[in-house]
Amino acid sequence: MATIDAERINTMIVTIARQLKDGDLVAQGVGTVLVTTSFMLARLTHAPGLTVMSGVGNCTYRDFVQLSLAGYERQILDKSIYYYSFTELAGDYHEVISCRMVEFFRPAQIDAYGNFNCTVIGDYNRPKVRLPGAVGIPDVTPVNQSMFFYTPTHNRRTFVEQLDFRSGVGFMEGQDQAYRDGLGITSRGPSLVITDLCVLGFDSASSRMMLKSLHAGVTLEEVRDSTGFDLVVPREIPTTEPATSEEMRLVDQVVDPLGIRRLEYYPGGPQRDELILSILAREEALMGA
Amino acid sequence: MRSKIVDITRAADLVCDGDTVAFGGMTLYRRPMAFARELVRCGRRGLTALTFTGALETDLLIAAGCVSRVRSGYVGFEFLGLAPNFRQAVERGRIEMIDETEGTLAMGLRATTGGVTFMPMRGLVGTDILKVRRDLAFVECPYTGQRFVAAPPITPNVAVIHVQQADDFGNAVLEGNHAIDRDLVRAAKRVVITAEQIVPNEEIAQRRGKAQILGIQVDAVVHAPFGAHPTSCYPFYPVDIRHLIDYLKLAASEGSQSYLEKYVFGPRTPEEYIATARSELSPGG
């Protein structure tokens, strides 16, 4: 099992936060505690007007909400300003994205063109791993203009030459926008891929994934070894701007003092169960239960 | 007007073998768990579990052999991990999985409630959903010639929703995290409401927020305190994470039979289940 590099994860968290603009509408998916940490960090720093559309609570909130586990649903529902039905959100999605509605996806697999898989590992009809499912990903990826990817596991199981299933459409096989428009894919495609090793974008000429920056201490060789396809590599590769001590203070003391964000990258098993139980105990102690 | 309040076993009679049953709520929040356990006790077979997002209710019914088909956009336990029985059953070809999306569910329900035979929708293009959902057709707009996926109607045989409050006619209050519950009620042929609290009709009418579910669309009402446990019922009780971790551990190590014995077949009444299962709950009933 690879050891978790806290500094690299912190670089991911702040990089995700920096993609948000003040006044943005951002979608919160279920179980996405790492990006939720980023959203709340952005809310406390450069994006105080951030509005979260929460799939966890089927509600919209603008208030700051600290991460919690058992108490989280109550926190966001109490503080929310609007309840929506998901039929409303999904059925009226075209109207929703006329505001800049930012979505972050965590792919189980992603290919060189930003197409990705959240449905099955292996054959669809007899999978090796049946994943939960793609929910809204097949609906939003053809039409949303503000999409980002993140993964704390940049390796060859994630970055693959050939997907087992295409749940979300990226740049397809590299066709131009005129072709995409003809199919009804009005999205201009995803923007960035933020991983525990680096930040990637998509080359405007070929639509293939392109390295944009390496996190501190990460080499190009390490990224290549962790990627199952050829990346477009620029001549000069900057270093990803790391987290500031103030940003990490906000994360550790204000946004996520219980360290719930770890649940997005701790591997499953007894260690993870113990972590959840210890977080739960601390949460209950803090609430004075 | 006759009261629609019945006990949970009578309500479960509204579900026949082979039915498509839509379960309300969201992942780990406000699921009709007492009703799901009752379906297991009654030995229903061949059900299709329809959910926007599925978790324990779907996984438990699969473990008990009640479900042969799942229609959902997501079946999993959020930050707690994959749904073990669902996952295994699909991987071994024991149940059929129909991958719905937010769009196919939303527009399918809208087609039913709108009384039309399809609803055009954006999305799905360029994805493999269209490869595995051979039942989805395309339609060409008669005005512009533009092509859309034609979402077929979704009409569950039964929808079951756990609510915070209901009166004896079935008017019900939903306090938040509605998911697709209100549309399930409107689209399903039969509707069961399980309620934390039964209140007088006047109390609902006096609320500024009124009701979120109309009684006229409801067939049966069950008084079911803690009826969502171990999922949450805002604001009364949060999700019981320890219970869910135990469920997942048992499912992984020895299958779910011991869980079913202890929490489903063991307790003779919902009250006995509550006494067996609750860890730290505030009273809601």
Side-chain angles (χ1 to χ4, degrees), chain B residues 182-221:
Chain B
R182 299 178 70 190
D183 304 277
L184 290 177
V185 166
R186 290 191 283 257
K189 294 200 182 111
R190 296 184 291 280
V191 175
V192 174
I193 298 291
T194 63
E196 284 296 321
Q197 299 173 342
I198 302 293
V199 299
N201 175 271
E202 304 75 55
E203 197 173 306
I204 296 184
Q206 275 156 28
R207 283 168 47 93
R208 283 239 150 74
K210 305 298 180 184
Q212 283 68 47
I213 289 173
L214 263 182
I216 204 156
Q217 289 162 331
V218 173
D219 295 282
V221 179

Side-chain angles (χ1 to χ4, degrees), chain A residues 98-121:
Chain A
S98 65
C99 337
R100 189 176 113 106
M101 161 84 147
V102 187
E103 304 228 25
F104 288 84
F105 304 118
R106 178 175 173 168
Q109 291 177 333
I110 186 167
D111 69 16
Y113 293 99
N115 307 303
F116 63 108
N117 175 14
C118 295
T119 303
V120 291
I121 303 296

Side-chain angles (χ1 to χ4, degrees), chain B residues 3-248:
Chain B
S3 166
K4 294 180 185 177
I5 296 182
V6 294
D7 68 32
I8 203 162
T9 313
R10 264 297 289 287
D13 283 343
L14 288 174
V15 176
C16 308
D17 285 352
D19 271 356
T20 293
V21 183
F23 297 90
M26 182 76 191
T27 52
L28 312 177
Y29 317 108
R30 200 172 45 75
R31 312 312 300 253
M33 288 310 308
F35 193 81
R37 288 187 287 267
E38 187 62 24
L39 289 178
V40 172
R41 262 196 294 277
C42 295
R44 289 290 175 275
R45 289 286 173 268
L47 302 177
T48 295
L50 174 77
T51 54
F52 164 44
T53 56
L56 180 64
E57 77 300 319
T58 303
D59 205 70
L60 195 66
L61 284 162
I62 291 171
C66 302
V67 158
S68 57
R69 198 162 68 139
V70 171
R71 294 179 68 175
S72 185
Y74 173 104
V75 182
F77 283 67
E78 279 207 22
F79 58 88
L80 292 172
L82 299 180
N85 290 289
F86 162 74
R87 191 204 144 165
Q88 196 183 80
V90 174
E91 288 163 12
R92 294 182 189 180
R94 286 209 306 263
I95 63 169
E96 188 191 347
M97 174 62 181
I98 296 178
D99 275 279
E100 299 283 1
T101 71
E102 289 169 4
T104 61
L105 286 166
M107 302 316 256
L109 291 169
R110 282 188 174 181
T112 299
T113 58
V116 293
T117 54
F118 71 90
M119 202 53 99
M121 57 177 280
R122 301 290 307 275
L124 305 192
V125 279
T127 74
D128 284 349
I129 295 289
L130 293 177
K131 287 194 181 145
V132 299
R133 290 291 305 272
R134 292 301 193 182
D135 58 308
L136 296 176
F138 281 85
V139 67
E140 209 174 84
C141 171
Y143 302 111
T144 65
Q146 203 177 347
R147 250 175 128 230
F148 297 103
V149 171
I154 291 179
T155 314
N157 296 101
V158 185
V160 57
I161 315 291
H162 187 70
V163 306
Q164 283 82 356
Q165 296 175 326
D167 65 20
D168 65 4
F169 188 60
N171 298 303
V173 170
L174 287 182
E175 288 284 12
N177 215 342
H178 296 174
I180 58 170
D181 293 1
R182 299 178 70 190
D183 304 277
L184 290 177
V185 166
R186 290 191 283 257
K189 294 200 182 111
R190 296 184 291 280
V191 175
V192 174
I193 298 291
T194 63
E196 284 296 321
Q197 299 173 342
I198 302 293
V199 299
N201 175 271
E202 304 75 55
E203 197 173 306
I204 296 184
Q206 275 156 28
R207 283 168 47 93
R208 283 239 150 74
K210 305 298 180 184
Q212 283 68 47
I213 289 173
L214 263 182
I216 204 156
Q217 289 162 331
V218 173
D219 295 282
V221 179
V222 179
H223 183 210
F226 300 109
H229 186 273
T231 68
S232 70
C233 187
Y234 169 84
F236 301 127
Y237 47 93
V239 54
D240 189 340
I241 292 175
R242 289 189 184 88
H243 184 111
L244 288 170
I245 287 180
D246 283 344
Y247 172 82
L248 293 169

Side-chain angles (χ1 to χ4, degrees), chain A residues 8 154-156 159 195-200 209-215 217-233 237 240:
Chain A
R8 294 179 180 186
H154 188 149
N155 57 42
R156 282 181 176 248
F159 288 75
T195 85
D196 56 323
L197 300 183
C198 61
V199 180
L200 308 124
M209 209 179 286
M210 177 175 77
L211 187 59
K212 295 203 87 155
S213 67
L214 290 166
H215 298 347
V218 180
T219 63
L220 175 59
E221 197 186 345
E222 188 179 354
V223 170
R224 279 194 167 126
D225 283 347
S226 307
T227 309
F229 50 81
D230 290 336
L231 286 169
V232 176
V233 179
I237 312 166
T240 316

